[in-house]
Amino acid sequence: MTLKSIRFRLTLWYSVAFSLSLAVILVSVYFITKQTLFSQTDSTITAHCNQIIQVFNSSSGQIPTLAPKQLFLREFSEMPGMFLMVTSADGSIITSTQPQDIQNAVISDLVEKSTKIIKPTFVERQLGTTSLRLGIFPVIKNGISIGFVIVGHPIDVILSSLNKLVTLLVFVYLGFLVTEI
């Protein structure tokens, strides 16, 4: 078969089109899976934040500092890796599942940036050795921000699963390319 033959050129075009199509499909599978996993995590975080915000909205107009504090800490400390922080509108920490003596630069930066948030926001941060997906929710009462609820859910399992998925998809892609040739 010569390089200028129609058969060779058609085979080459088919191979390139197949390789590119397969790559697009496998990359799409990765991103759809990633989006689905993070969407489920965000739903869990949102549910926790909404429960906490309901407690605050039923209070007298400001974030309660004593009774719910112990309730939140007890509930969230029983969930491995979960993170909870409640701040006032000015960013001072009212309660946190993270001990005050372990507060680090990541938390300080997060609290500082949270005071500028006007709608629920999700970010990823590394806190110690744990990767967290954090939901930052403003507590608004009568149109005024009275504080913020920050809930974190560990995502180490998700990141590990996504890394394994990438490895699997690369092997699938290479397998298809080898069998195509």
Side-chain angles (χ1 to χ4, degrees):
M1 178 166 55
T2 64
L3 296 177
K4 292 186 178 186
S5 72
I6 292 178
R7 182 178 181 185
F8 175 78
R9 288 188 279 174
L10 285 174
T11 303
L12 180 65
W13 277 106
Y14 166 77
S15 297
V16 169
F18 177 77
S19 298
L20 290 176
S21 299
L22 183 62
V24 168
I25 289 168
L26 295 178
V27 168
S28 297
V29 165
Y30 172 80
F31 282 110
I32 289 170
T33 302
K34 180 179 178 182
Q35 179 63 31
T36 301
L37 291 172
F38 279 115
S39 177
Q40 291 172 346
T41 302
D42 292 349
S43 295
T44 301
I45 290 171
T46 301
H48 288 301
C49 284
N50 286 337
Q51 288 176 342
I52 295 167
I53 289 172
Q54 282 179 346
V55 171
F56 294 150
N57 285 334
S58 66
S59 70
S60 63
Q62 58 183 341
I63 293 181
T65 57
L66 298 176
K69 179 177 182 176
Q70 297 307 318
L71 174 69
F72 296 145
L73 290 179
R74 185 177 63 244
E75 181 178 338
F76 280 89
S77 64
E78 293 172 1
M79 296 180 201
M82 287 296 288
F83 174 80
L84 168 70
M85 180 180 290
V86 179
T87 68
S88 63
D90 65 359
S92 58
I93 298 172
I94 295 172
T95 186
S96 174
T97 55
Q98 186 84 7
Q100 293 295 334
D101 56 333
I102 302 181
Q103 300 294 338
N104 59 21
V106 174
I107 293 174
S108 300
D109 181 55
L110 188 64
V111 169
E112 180 183 323
K113 289 180 180 175
S114 71
T115 59
K116 298 175 181 88
I117 291 176
I118 57 174
K119 65 180 184 170
T121 304
F122 294 94
V123 296
E124 294 172 30
R125 294 288 188 271
Q126 186 81 19
L127 193 58
T129 60
T130 305
S131 296
L132 294 172
R133 177 85 169 170
L134 297 163
I136 306 167
F137 285 67
V139 180
I140 299 174
K141 191 162 189 174
N142 299 326
I144 299 170
S145 175
I146 60 170
F148 297 91
V149 174
I150 304 170
V151 173
H153 192 280
I155 57 170
D156 292 330
V157 173
I158 293 173
L159 296 177
S160 174
S161 297
L162 289 173
N163 287 337
K164 289 176 184 175
L165 179 63
V166 166
T167 303
L168 176 68
L169 292 177
V170 167
F171 281 120
V172 167
Y173 183 72
L174 292 176
F176 271 111
L177 288 183
V178 167
T179 57
E180 180 186 341
I181 296 174

